[in-house]
Amino acid sequence: MTRPIIVFRGLVALLACLLAIPALAQLTIEITGTGANRIPISIAQFEGETQLPKSVTDVVRADLERSGLFKVIGIPSTLGETATVDAADWKSRGVDALAVGTIRAAGDRYEVRFRLHDTVKAAQLGGLSISMNAAQNRATGHKIADFIYEKLIGEPGTFSTSIAYVVKTGGRYQLQVADADGMNAQTALSSPEPIISPTWSPDGTRLAYVSFEKKKPVIYVHSIVTSQRQIVANFKGSNSAPAWSPDGRRLAVVLTKDGNSQMYSVNADGSGVQRLASSPGIDTEPTFSPDGSYIYFTSDRGGAPQIYRVSAGGGDPQRVTFDGTYNVSPHLSPDGKSLAYITRNGGFRVALMDLATRQTQILTDSAKDESPSFAPNGRMILYASEIGGRGVLAAVSTDGRIKQRLSVAAADVREPAWGPLPKK
């Protein structure tokens, strides 16, 4: 008799549903929902910006607008970093915050200086000084947007982060890395065989993933900096579902070397394999809690796919989900207080559980969602979905109000993973 879990929908998607997208094609973002109370802000064109081949302030505006938390008011103005700001005048125009800046050439580099003004309190909120070359306009814009976001929202911005995803072009599969807005897509790996389950190391320098280039699933760790990689799990049978420990030293993995899919841990260099739990059924999709004390995972040990947790050192698992007959693909929020997962509820949808109260909210209304991944500030959840038979990436805020869709015309994209905050 076939197990009702059928290796879980998540694994079926990982093993069979990698879809097509042109190489290096940029993801485009469509905002389909916004926050209830957006902050009205204006980003003046920085003094001296016209000497740059590409704008910095356009990137800042796009970042803030895309977040769903800001209403960018386009009042034509060019204001330098030291400009006198009439707070009352700007407030009368409906602007609560104003960014001004100056860009000066310094040899083959540019110095960018900006200040953020609170027009409600008639106060400066600080600023940045950044040295850049002409090609770093986007990275500089992301840094400025992150600064503004943190000052006005009170939590880190994620505009300078990266996302990874798997794409297919013709007969080749690609692991791509892009800015959080889908731009600057770069291919980290290209292969004639499937590449699945990318996951970021905590420091953002490495990706673990599964490749089928050896005609079976094998786990690799790949350096984003050097492009070098090494095999960390190539045992008999299947090697799948890698998940980093919070310290980046170990990976939780799923192996079939001893029979059914079971969870093990392994050092990041492939040594020190240890079994984490034993089950007569299938255990898969491990993910560490942020403090490293627990591993959450999907199992059919109770007869249907549900989410459990086990001590990172091994032991007796505890069941976490009880509502519904199909709950898979757990992912913990950065603060460890919430659990995102996929539940079958009129379709396969993203759900969010408050681990303290066990209250659950369905965040999406689509039918084929998978692979949820939290933004490193915990505000948004990135996931894969399907619209009109075509795979897209999407993001939803943890309150369900802000929604985005990332797609490529006439192409499909799957397997998203949101990278960590960059080191300061």
Side-chain angles (χ1 to χ4, degrees):
M1 180 176 180
T2 303
R3 291 187 182 277
I5 198 167
I6 318 179
V7 199
F8 313 126
R9 172 172 153 52
L11 275 184
V12 171
L14 295 182
L15 298 175
C17 293
L18 297 172
L19 301 174
I21 183 174
L24 298 183
Q26 303 291 351
L27 293 166
T28 58
I29 293 185
E30 174 189 356
I31 301 173
T32 57
T34 60
N37 297 302
R38 293 189 293 164
I39 298 173
I41 187 171
S42 186
I43 312 298
Q45 180 171 319
F46 291 178
E47 184 179 60
E49 186 173 23
T50 55
Q51 65 190 305
L52 293 177
K54 293 185 179 180
S55 171
V56 169
T57 52
D58 284 351
V59 176
V60 179
R61 295 185 190 104
D63 281 348
L64 297 178
E65 188 72 43
R66 188 180 75 253
S67 74
L69 298 178
F70 296 88
K71 180 181 180 182
V72 179
I73 298 177
I75 299 176
S77 57
T78 299
L79 293 172
E81 182 226 359
T82 60
T84 300
V85 173
D86 186 336
D89 177 58
W90 282 94
K91 178 60 180 171
S92 70
R93 301 193 222 181
V95 175
D96 286 0
L98 171 68
V100 300
T102 299
I103 300 177
R104 292 190 176 92
D108 60 351
R109 298 188 65 81
Y110 298 87
E111 181 186 21
V112 181
R113 300 178 65 89
F114 107 99
R115 305 293 294 181
L116 179 63
H117 295 262
D118 183 333
T119 64
V120 177
K121 297 180 180 178
Q124 285 193 28
L125 299 180
L128 292 174
S129 177
I130 302 170
S131 177
M132 58 167 268
N133 62 39
Q136 293 175 318
N137 67 301
R138 288 183 50 78
T140 299
H142 292 327
K143 289 179 182 178
I144 293 172
D146 282 336
F147 181 94
I148 293 171
Y149 186 102
E150 186 162 7
K151 287 295 182 180
L152 298 180
I153 302 300
E155 61 191 36
T158 59
F159 306 115
S160 296
T161 60
S162 298
I163 59 174
Y165 47 92
V166 177
V167 300
K168 182 185 177 185
T169 305
R172 297 197 67 83
Y173 295 83
Q174 298 173 26
L175 172 63
Q176 293 194 340
V177 175
D179 292 356
D181 60 2
M183 301 295 288
N184 280 347
Q186 301 293 324
T187 299
L189 178 68
S190 181
S191 171
E193 302 296 335
I195 307 163
I196 63 174
S197 305
T199 180
W200 291 90
S201 65
D203 64 3
T205 65
R206 295 169 292 171
L207 282 167
Y209 55 83
V210 177
S211 173
F212 283 72
E213 62 201 78
K214 294 184 179 297
K215 308 303 180 182
K216 58 173 284 188
V218 175
I219 298 172
Y220 292 79
V221 167
H222 186 122
S223 169
I224 298 299
V225 178
T226 67
S227 296
Q228 294 180 338
R229 62 183 185 143
Q230 67 179 109
I231 293 173
V232 297
N234 183 18
F235 297 97
K236 179 184 67 176
S238 174
N239 307 265
S240 64
W244 291 92
S245 64
D247 62 10
R249 296 178 180 177
R250 293 183 66 80
L251 291 160
V253 298
V254 175
L255 310 176
T256 62
K257 69 185 186 69
D258 298 317
N260 286 339
S261 295
Q262 300 285 280
M263 294 191 306
Y264 299 75
S265 68
V266 61
N267 290 328
D269 64 0
S271 65
V273 179
Q274 297 178 356
R275 189 160 185 166
L276 293 172
S278 296
S279 169
I282 294 171
D283 293 348
T284 189
E285 299 182 320
T287 185
F288 280 86
S289 61
D291 64 4
S293 59
Y294 288 98
I295 295 173
Y296 287 71
F297 64 100
T298 307
S299 178
D300 69 345
R301 62 182 59 216
Q306 296 291 343
I307 295 168
Y308 294 76
R309 75 174 188 178
V310 65
S311 171
D316 295 326
Q318 303 168 322
R319 185 168 166 178
V320 176
T321 55
F322 291 89
D323 294 339
T325 59
Y326 188 100
N327 298 296
V328 301
S329 304
H331 195 92
L332 275 293
S333 62
D335 62 8
K337 295 180 179 180
S338 301
L339 176 71
Y341 59 98
I342 301 299
T343 186
R344 185 167 58 196
N345 186 313
F348 296 97
R349 297 175 176 173
V350 178
L352 185 68
M353 175 190 290
D354 183 311
L355 290 173
T357 65
R358 301 287 169 164
Q359 292 184 336
T360 299
Q361 178 184 3
I362 307 298
L363 298 179
T364 60
D365 56 7
S366 37
K368 296 182 179 180
D369 299 339
E370 57 191 44
S371 307
S373 176
F374 271 97
N377 65 2
R379 170 73 67 162
M380 302 288 291
I381 299 171
L382 181 68
Y383 61 98
S385 191
E386 188 174 297
I387 298 175
R390 182 164 62 90
V392 299
L393 302 187
V396 60
S397 62
T398 52
D399 63 5
R401 290 179 173 177
I402 301 170
K403 295 182 179 180
Q404 303 168 357
R405 186 180 304 157
L406 298 83
S407 61
V408 175
D412 298 296
V413 54
R414 297 277 179 173
E415 303 285 337
W418 205 322
L421 293 171
K423 300 297 182 181
K424 293 185 178 180

